[in-house]
Amino acid sequence: ARALVKTVFCHMLNSARRGGYQRSEAFEGWPPSLSRKEGVALIERRHQRVANYFYSGQSLNLMNLDSEICELVLRCGLHDGVVILPVHDSFIVQAEHEEWLTAVMDEAYAEITGRYPVIT
């Protein structure tokens, strides 16, 4: 179920208008017991902090910010001599560098976006 919700969430971000994704493959495998409209409303309520990005067509800008943050984290690793393996949307470091990585990720996020991440 998580993968399906993530797919619909991404389509909501990529769409330039509400409902523009309704006929897409995003809903392949959607449970018949929950209407698409109800499911989308649940996603919107759960992710209110980023709801202003839904249906905005801003996904490319968001992906660019993500890549800038990733690049900065990798550059910090080079500077500090920490080997970092980027894997999709994550980083792998030796266990002894875990706290370093968390701090660097927070700082990179703040430098690129102008604010510190809120992690719940």
PDB file of all heavy atoms in Angstrom, residues 41-66:
ATOM      1  N   ALA A  41      -7.881  12.766  -0.932  1.00  0.00           N
ATOM      2  CA  ALA A  41      -8.173  13.641   0.217  1.00  0.00           C
ATOM      3  C   ALA A  41      -7.382  13.199   1.445  1.00  0.00           C
ATOM      4  O   ALA A  41      -6.878  14.043   2.204  1.00  0.00           O
ATOM      5  CB  ALA A  41      -9.673  13.641   0.509  1.00  0.00           C
ATOM      6  N   LEU A  42      -7.257  11.901   1.657  1.00  0.00           N
ATOM      7  CA  LEU A  42      -6.465  11.390   2.783  1.00  0.00           C
ATOM      8  C   LEU A  42      -4.990  11.789   2.634  1.00  0.00           C
ATOM      9  O   LEU A  42      -4.352  12.201   3.607  1.00  0.00           O
ATOM     10  CB  LEU A  42      -6.586   9.871   2.883  1.00  0.00           C
ATOM     11  CG  LEU A  42      -7.911   9.324   3.388  1.00  0.00           C
ATOM     12  CD1 LEU A  42      -7.972   7.808   3.210  1.00  0.00           C
ATOM     13  CD2 LEU A  42      -8.126   9.691   4.849  1.00  0.00           C
ATOM     14  N   ILE A  43      -4.468  11.669   1.435  1.00  0.00           N
ATOM     15  CA  ILE A  43      -3.077  12.051   1.188  1.00  0.00           C
ATOM     16  C   ILE A  43      -2.891  13.547   1.429  1.00  0.00           C
ATOM     17  O   ILE A  43      -1.930  13.973   2.062  1.00  0.00           O
ATOM     18  CB  ILE A  43      -2.647  11.661  -0.245  1.00  0.00           C
ATOM     19  CG1 ILE A  43      -2.614  10.140  -0.384  1.00  0.00           C
ATOM     20  CG2 ILE A  43      -1.293  12.271  -0.596  1.00  0.00           C
ATOM     21  CD1 ILE A  43      -2.452   9.643  -1.812  1.00  0.00           C
ATOM     22  N   GLU A  44      -3.829  14.343   0.944  1.00  0.00           N
ATOM     23  CA  GLU A  44      -3.739  15.800   1.145  1.00  0.00           C
ATOM     24  C   GLU A  44      -3.754  16.159   2.629  1.00  0.00           C
ATOM     25  O   GLU A  44      -2.983  17.010   3.075  1.00  0.00           O
ATOM     26  CB  GLU A  44      -4.899  16.506   0.424  1.00  0.00           C
ATOM     27  CG  GLU A  44      -4.778  16.485  -1.070  1.00  0.00           C
ATOM     28  CD  GLU A  44      -6.021  16.980  -1.779  1.00  0.00           C
ATOM     29  OE1 GLU A  44      -7.117  17.034  -1.162  1.00  0.00           O
ATOM     30  OE2 GLU A  44      -5.907  17.303  -2.971  1.00  0.00           O
ATOM     31  N   ARG A  45      -4.622  15.508   3.397  1.00  0.00           N
ATOM     32  CA  ARG A  45      -4.688  15.795   4.838  1.00  0.00           C
ATOM     33  C   ARG A  45      -3.413  15.353   5.555  1.00  0.00           C
ATOM     34  O   ARG A  45      -2.906  16.056   6.421  1.00  0.00           O
ATOM     35  CB  ARG A  45      -5.907  15.120   5.463  1.00  0.00           C
ATOM     36  CG  ARG A  45      -7.195  15.881   5.239  1.00  0.00           C
ATOM     37  CD  ARG A  45      -8.320  15.427   6.164  1.00  0.00           C
ATOM     38  NE  ARG A  45      -8.662  14.024   6.038  1.00  0.00           N
ATOM     39  CZ  ARG A  45      -9.493  13.527   5.124  1.00  0.00           C
ATOM     40  NH1 ARG A  45     -10.064  14.321   4.255  1.00  0.00           N
ATOM     41  NH2 ARG A  45      -9.764  12.235   5.087  1.00  0.00           N
ATOM     42  N   ARG A  46      -2.900  14.197   5.187  1.00  0.00           N
ATOM     43  CA  ARG A  46      -1.706  13.654   5.855  1.00  0.00           C
ATOM     44  C   ARG A  46      -0.465  14.488   5.564  1.00  0.00           C
ATOM     45  O   ARG A  46       0.444  14.578   6.368  1.00  0.00           O
ATOM     46  CB  ARG A  46      -1.487  12.202   5.406  1.00  0.00           C
ATOM     47  CG  ARG A  46      -0.209  11.572   5.906  1.00  0.00           C
ATOM     48  CD  ARG A  46      -0.196  11.430   7.426  1.00  0.00           C
ATOM     49  NE  ARG A  46       0.984  10.765   7.894  1.00  0.00           N
ATOM     50  CZ  ARG A  46       2.083  11.392   8.317  1.00  0.00           C
ATOM     51  NH1 ARG A  46       2.143  12.703   8.304  1.00  0.00           N
ATOM     52  NH2 ARG A  46       3.122  10.712   8.751  1.00  0.00           N
ATOM     53  N   HIS A  47      -0.434  15.111   4.407  1.00  0.00           N
ATOM     54  CA  HIS A  47       0.757  15.855   3.979  1.00  0.00           C
ATOM     55  C   HIS A  47       0.456  17.339   3.804  1.00  0.00           C
ATOM     56  O   HIS A  47       0.875  17.973   2.829  1.00  0.00           O
ATOM     57  CB  HIS A  47       1.307  15.247   2.688  1.00  0.00           C
ATOM     58  CG  HIS A  47       1.726  13.825   2.853  1.00  0.00           C
ATOM     59  ND1 HIS A  47       2.884  13.478   3.507  1.00  0.00           N
ATOM     60  CD2 HIS A  47       1.130  12.665   2.489  1.00  0.00           C
ATOM     61  CE1 HIS A  47       2.992  12.158   3.528  1.00  0.00           C
ATOM     62  NE2 HIS A  47       1.942  11.641   2.927  1.00  0.00           N
ATOM     63  N   GLN A  48      -0.229  17.918   4.783  1.00  0.00           N
ATOM     64  CA  GLN A  48      -0.615  19.323   4.713  1.00  0.00           C
ATOM     65  C   GLN A  48       0.576  20.269   4.583  1.00  0.00           C
ATOM     66  O   GLN A  48       0.471  21.323   3.977  1.00  0.00           O
ATOM     67  CB  GLN A  48      -1.450  19.699   5.933  1.00  0.00           C
ATOM     68  CG  GLN A  48      -2.822  19.090   5.913  1.00  0.00           C
ATOM     69  CD  GLN A  48      -3.629  19.446   7.147  1.00  0.00           C
ATOM     70  OE1 GLN A  48      -3.183  20.173   8.025  1.00  0.00           O
ATOM     71  NE2 GLN A  48      -4.837  18.918   7.230  1.00  0.00           N
ATOM     72  N   ARG A  49       1.718  19.891   5.153  1.00  0.00           N
ATOM     73  CA  ARG A  49       2.895  20.768   5.106  1.00  0.00           C
ATOM     74  C   ARG A  49       3.398  21.006   3.690  1.00  0.00           C
ATOM     75  O   ARG A  49       4.048  22.012   3.430  1.00  0.00           O
ATOM     76  CB  ARG A  49       4.024  20.211   5.963  1.00  0.00           C
ATOM     77  CG  ARG A  49       3.739  20.293   7.425  1.00  0.00           C
ATOM     78  CD  ARG A  49       4.918  19.832   8.224  1.00  0.00           C
ATOM     79  NE  ARG A  49       4.661  20.037   9.634  1.00  0.00           N
ATOM     80  CZ  ARG A  49       5.480  19.707  10.575  1.00  0.00           C
ATOM     81  NH1 ARG A  49       6.633  19.156  10.283  1.00  0.00           N
ATOM     82  NH2 ARG A  49       5.176  19.918  11.830  1.00  0.00           N
ATOM     83  N   VAL A  50       3.134  20.084   2.805  1.00  0.00           N
ATOM     84  CA  VAL A  50       3.591  20.253   1.419  1.00  0.00           C
ATOM     85  C   VAL A  50       2.420  20.359   0.448  1.00  0.00           C
ATOM     86  O   VAL A  50       2.617  20.347  -0.774  1.00  0.00           O
ATOM     87  CB  VAL A  50       4.534  19.101   0.986  1.00  0.00           C
ATOM     88  CG1 VAL A  50       5.808  19.113   1.799  1.00  0.00           C
ATOM     89  CG2 VAL A  50       3.835  17.755   1.054  1.00  0.00           C
ATOM     90  N   ALA A  51       1.218  20.484   0.973  1.00  0.00           N
ATOM     91  CA  ALA A  51       0.028  20.498   0.127  1.00  0.00           C
ATOM     92  C   ALA A  51       0.039  21.634  -0.891  1.00  0.00           C
ATOM     93  O   ALA A  51      -0.548  21.506  -1.962  1.00  0.00           O
ATOM     94  CB  ALA A  51      -1.230  20.573   0.989  1.00  0.00           C
ATOM     95  N   ASN A  52       0.725  22.734  -0.574  1.00  0.00           N
ATOM     96  CA  ASN A  52       0.763  23.842  -1.527  1.00  0.00           C
ATOM     97  C   ASN A  52       1.531  23.475  -2.803  1.00  0.00           C
ATOM     98  O   ASN A  52       1.419  24.166  -3.813  1.00  0.00           O
ATOM     99  CB  ASN A  52       1.362  25.090  -0.887  1.00  0.00           C
ATOM    100  CG  ASN A  52       2.763  24.879  -0.362  1.00  0.00           C
ATOM    101  OD1 ASN A  52       3.031  23.878   0.313  1.00  0.00           O
ATOM    102  ND2 ASN A  52       3.656  25.797  -0.632  1.00  0.00           N
ATOM    103  N   TYR A  53       2.284  22.381  -2.777  1.00  0.00           N
ATOM    104  CA  TYR A  53       2.998  21.927  -3.967  1.00  0.00           C
ATOM    105  C   TYR A  53       2.174  20.974  -4.824  1.00  0.00           C
ATOM    106  O   TYR A  53       2.508  20.745  -5.981  1.00  0.00           O
ATOM    107  CB  TYR A  53       4.325  21.259  -3.587  1.00  0.00           C
ATOM    108  CG  TYR A  53       5.313  22.228  -3.009  1.00  0.00           C
ATOM    109  CD1 TYR A  53       5.620  22.209  -1.665  1.00  0.00           C
ATOM    110  CD2 TYR A  53       5.932  23.179  -3.816  1.00  0.00           C
ATOM    111  CE1 TYR A  53       6.529  23.104  -1.128  1.00  0.00           C
ATOM    112  CE2 TYR A  53       6.838  24.082  -3.292  1.00  0.00           C
ATOM    113  CZ  TYR A  53       7.133  24.035  -1.944  1.00  0.00           C
ATOM    114  OH  TYR A  53       8.030  24.922  -1.418  1.00  0.00           O
ATOM    115  N   PHE A  54       1.097  20.408  -4.255  1.00  0.00           N
ATOM    116  CA  PHE A  54       0.254  19.530  -5.052  1.00  0.00           C
ATOM    117  C   PHE A  54      -0.379  20.337  -6.181  1.00  0.00           C
ATOM    118  O   PHE A  54      -0.796  21.484  -5.989  1.00  0.00           O
ATOM    119  CB  PHE A  54      -0.858  18.894  -4.211  1.00  0.00           C
ATOM    120  CG  PHE A  54      -0.367  17.906  -3.184  1.00  0.00           C
ATOM    121  CD1 PHE A  54      -1.034  17.754  -1.990  1.00  0.00           C
ATOM    122  CD2 PHE A  54       0.747  17.119  -3.414  1.00  0.00           C
ATOM    123  CE1 PHE A  54      -0.611  16.834  -1.039  1.00  0.00           C
ATOM    124  CE2 PHE A  54       1.192  16.190  -2.475  1.00  0.00           C
ATOM    125  CZ  PHE A  54       0.509  16.054  -1.289  1.00  0.00           C
ATOM    126  N   TYR A  55      -0.440  19.747  -7.351  1.00  0.00           N
ATOM    127  CA  TYR A  55      -1.098  20.338  -8.525  1.00  0.00           C
ATOM    128  C   TYR A  55      -0.455  21.666  -8.950  1.00  0.00           C
ATOM    129  O   TYR A  55      -1.094  22.499  -9.554  1.00  0.00           O
ATOM    130  CB  TYR A  55      -2.599  20.543  -8.281  1.00  0.00           C
ATOM    131  CG  TYR A  55      -3.221  19.475  -7.432  1.00  0.00           C
ATOM    132  CD1 TYR A  55      -3.703  19.766  -6.164  1.00  0.00           C
ATOM    133  CD2 TYR A  55      -3.276  18.166  -7.873  1.00  0.00           C
ATOM    134  CE1 TYR A  55      -4.256  18.772  -5.364  1.00  0.00           C
ATOM    135  CE2 TYR A  55      -3.816  17.168  -7.072  1.00  0.00           C
ATOM    136  CZ  TYR A  55      -4.302  17.489  -5.821  1.00  0.00           C
ATOM    137  OH  TYR A  55      -4.826  16.511  -5.025  1.00  0.00           O
ATOM    138  N   SER A  56       0.794  21.857  -8.597  1.00  0.00           N
ATOM    139  CA  SER A  56       1.467  23.118  -8.921  1.00  0.00           C
ATOM    140  C   SER A  56       2.423  22.977 -10.098  1.00  0.00           C
ATOM    141  O   SER A  56       2.924  23.985 -10.600  1.00  0.00           O
ATOM    142  CB  SER A  56       2.257  23.620  -7.704  1.00  0.00           C
ATOM    143  OG  SER A  56       3.345  22.746  -7.445  1.00  0.00           O
ATOM    144  N   GLY A  57       2.707  21.754 -10.502  1.00  0.00           N
ATOM    145  CA  GLY A  57       3.665  21.541 -11.573  1.00  0.00           C
ATOM    146  C   GLY A  57       5.085  21.885 -11.150  1.00  0.00           C
ATOM    147  O   GLY A  57       5.969  22.062 -11.985  1.00  0.00           O
ATOM    148  N   GLN A  58       5.340  21.965  -9.850  1.00  0.00           N
ATOM    149  CA  GLN A  58       6.640  22.372  -9.327  1.00  0.00           C
ATOM    150  C   GLN A  58       7.585  21.210  -9.073  1.00  0.00           C
ATOM    151  O   GLN A  58       8.659  21.394  -8.513  1.00  0.00           O
ATOM    152  CB  GLN A  58       6.452  23.156  -8.025  1.00  0.00           C
ATOM    153  CG  GLN A  58       5.795  24.497  -8.216  1.00  0.00           C
ATOM    154  CD  GLN A  58       6.679  25.422  -9.029  1.00  0.00           C
ATOM    155  OE1 GLN A  58       7.858  25.564  -8.752  1.00  0.00           O
ATOM    156  NE2 GLN A  58       6.097  26.032 -10.046  1.00  0.00           N
ATOM    157  N   SER A  59       7.208  20.031  -9.479  1.00  0.00           N
ATOM    158  CA  SER A  59       8.022  18.861  -9.132  1.00  0.00           C
ATOM    159  C   SER A  59       9.441  18.943  -9.678  1.00  0.00           C
ATOM    160  O   SER A  59      10.384  18.517  -9.013  1.00  0.00           O
ATOM    161  CB  SER A  59       7.349  17.578  -9.598  1.00  0.00           C
ATOM    162  OG  SER A  59       7.222  17.578 -11.008  1.00  0.00           O
ATOM    163  N   LEU A  60       9.630  19.490 -10.867  1.00  0.00           N
ATOM    164  CA  LEU A  60      10.989  19.612 -11.409  1.00  0.00           C
ATOM    165  C   LEU A  60      11.835  20.546 -10.555  1.00  0.00           C
ATOM    166  O   LEU A  60      13.016  20.288 -10.317  1.00  0.00           O
ATOM    167  CB  LEU A  60      10.962  20.075 -12.863  1.00  0.00           C
ATOM    168  CG  LEU A  60      10.415  19.066 -13.865  1.00  0.00           C
ATOM    169  CD1 LEU A  60      10.405  19.667 -15.270  1.00  0.00           C
ATOM    170  CD2 LEU A  60      11.220  17.786 -13.850  1.00  0.00           C
ATOM    171  N   ASN A  61      11.243  21.621 -10.081  1.00  0.00           N
ATOM    172  CA  ASN A  61      11.970  22.533  -9.185  1.00  0.00           C
ATOM    173  C   ASN A  61      12.337  21.832  -7.875  1.00  0.00           C
ATOM    174  O   ASN A  61      13.436  22.005  -7.353  1.00  0.00           O
ATOM    175  CB  ASN A  61      11.154  23.789  -8.899  1.00  0.00           C
ATOM    176  CG  ASN A  61      10.982  24.659 -10.113  1.00  0.00           C
ATOM    177  OD1 ASN A  61      11.795  24.622 -11.036  1.00  0.00           O
ATOM    178  ND2 ASN A  61       9.918  25.424 -10.139  1.00  0.00           N
ATOM    179  N   LEU A  62      11.411  21.042  -7.343  1.00  0.00           N
ATOM    180  CA  LEU A  62      11.675  20.309  -6.108  1.00  0.00           C
ATOM    181  C   LEU A  62      12.770  19.270  -6.309  1.00  0.00           C
ATOM    182  O   LEU A  62      13.651  19.104  -5.461  1.00  0.00           O
ATOM    183  CB  LEU A  62      10.398  19.645  -5.592  1.00  0.00           C
ATOM    184  CG  LEU A  62       9.298  20.593  -5.128  1.00  0.00           C
ATOM    185  CD1 LEU A  62       8.015  19.823  -4.863  1.00  0.00           C
ATOM    186  CD2 LEU A  62       9.732  21.374  -3.909  1.00  0.00           C
ATOM    187  N   MET A  63      12.736  18.584  -7.453  1.00  0.00           N
ATOM    188  CA  MET A  63      13.777  17.593  -7.745  1.00  0.00           C
ATOM    189  C   MET A  63      15.135  18.272  -7.885  1.00  0.00           C
ATOM    190  O   MET A  63      16.160  17.719  -7.467  1.00  0.00           O
ATOM    191  CB  MET A  63      13.434  16.808  -9.012  1.00  0.00           C
ATOM    192  CG  MET A  63      12.344  15.786  -8.802  1.00  0.00           C
ATOM    193  SD  MET A  63      12.092  14.740 -10.252  1.00  0.00           S
ATOM    194  CE  MET A  63      10.969  15.756 -11.198  1.00  0.00           C
ATOM    195  N   ASN A  64      15.154  19.473  -8.448  1.00  0.00           N
ATOM    196  CA  ASN A  64      16.404  20.211  -8.570  1.00  0.00           C
ATOM    197  C   ASN A  64      16.953  20.574  -7.195  1.00  0.00           C
ATOM    198  O   ASN A  64      18.158  20.434  -6.948  1.00  0.00           O
ATOM    199  CB  ASN A  64      16.217  21.460  -9.427  1.00  0.00           C
ATOM    200  CG  ASN A  64      17.523  22.179  -9.657  1.00  0.00           C
ATOM    201  OD1 ASN A  64      18.472  21.607 -10.174  1.00  0.00           O
ATOM    202  ND2 ASN A  64      17.576  23.422  -9.240  1.00  0.00           N
ATOM    203  N   LEU A  65      16.089  21.033  -6.299  1.00  0.00           N
ATOM    204  CA  LEU A  65      16.535  21.327  -4.933  1.00  0.00           C
ATOM    205  C   LEU A  65      17.111  20.078  -4.282  1.00  0.00           C
ATOM    206  O   LEU A  65      18.155  20.130  -3.619  1.00  0.00           O
ATOM    207  CB  LEU A  65      15.369  21.862  -4.083  1.00  0.00           C
ATOM    208  CG  LEU A  65      14.887  23.261  -4.376  1.00  0.00           C
ATOM    209  CD1 LEU A  65      13.660  23.586  -3.519  1.00  0.00           C
ATOM    210  CD2 LEU A  65      15.984  24.280  -4.133  1.00  0.00           C
ATOM    211  N   ASP A  66      16.444  18.954  -4.469  1.00  0.00           N
ATOM    212  CA  ASP A  66      16.904  17.687  -3.916  1.00  0.00           C
ATOM    213  C   ASP A  66      18.298  17.346  -4.438  1.00  0.00           C
ATOM    214  O   ASP A  66      19.175  16.931  -3.675  1.00  0.00           O
ATOM    215  CB  ASP A  66      15.903  16.589  -4.262  1.00  0.00           C
ATOM    216  CG  ASP A  66      16.208  15.276  -3.588  1.00  0.00           C
ATOM    217  OD1 ASP A  66      16.378  15.261  -2.351  1.00  0.00           O
ATOM    218  OD2 ASP A  66      16.271  14.259  -4.287  1.00  0.00           O
TER     219      ASP A  66
END
